[in-house]
């Protein structure tokens, strides 16, 4: 009987952990002052001179990264002042470490001077992302 209770406990804990991870996926998180760090040269070289650059941090075998790439590319094509850059950090994990990226895909919204506006862990939701970008694109 103890085995059944252990199994039920593990299933409940697994379900709760899964629900929490799913709720965090694609959530927009505003940048904090502690998040501001000197950008690696590889990242700062990709920033657009005007507007906002969405820097997607990906790895080679990341399946959600492909879906994110499609969403962000389409959004950048139809939105003035928005640029999308896909940065594969498979061979350069120090870039992800410098940016405090713990999962892929992670999308950073950066201003031309390299200031982080917000970040999204996981696959972003296009409409929510566009709403969060509007105040920053209006300044461009």
């Amino acid at each position: 009987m103890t085995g059944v209770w252990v199994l039920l406990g593990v299933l409940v804990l697994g379900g709760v952990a899964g629900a929490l991870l799913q709720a965090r996926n694609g959530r927009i998180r505003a940048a904090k002052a502690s998040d501001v760090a000197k950008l690696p040269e590889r990242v700062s070289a990709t920033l657009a001179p005007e507007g906002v650059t969405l820097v997607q941090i990906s790895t080679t075998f990341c399946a959600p990264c492909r879906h994110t790439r499609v969403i962000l590319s389409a959004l950048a094509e139809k939105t003035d002042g928005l640029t999308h850059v896909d940065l594969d950090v498979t061979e350069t994990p120090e870039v992800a470490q410098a940016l405090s990226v713990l999962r892929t895909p992670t999308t950073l919204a950066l201003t031309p001077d390299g200031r982080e506006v917000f970040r999204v862990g996981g696959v972003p939701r296009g409409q929510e992302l566009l709403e969060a970008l509007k105040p920053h694109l209006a300044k461009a």
Side-chain angles (χ1 to χ4, degrees), residues 22-109:
Q22 185 63 30
R24 290 186 54 178
N25 190 38
R27 188 184 65 175
I28 297 172
R29 184 177 69 89
K32 301 177 206 165
S34 61
D35 290 341
V36 177
K38 184 168 178 355
L39 291 177
E41 179 61 33
R42 185 170 177 205
V43 176
S44 59
T46 63
L47 297 180
E50 294 181 355
V52 176
T53 303
L54 296 176
V55 178
Q56 176 186 342
I57 308 297
S58 303
T59 52
T60 304
F61 299 106
C62 167
C65 294
R66 294 182 198 110
H67 186 60
T68 299
R69 188 176 304 114
V70 170
I71 292 170
L72 298 180
S73 295
L75 200 60
E77 284 178 14
K78 67 180 183 181
T79 308
D80 290 335
L82 188 62
T83 307
H84 170 241
V85 176
D86 187 4
L87 198 60
D88 188 331
V89 295
T90 303
E91 300 297 324
T92 55
E94 63 275 2
V95 172
Q97 184 178 13
L99 296 171
S100 300
V101 172
L102 300 176
R103 68 183 282 198
T104 58
T106 293
T107 304
L108 307 174

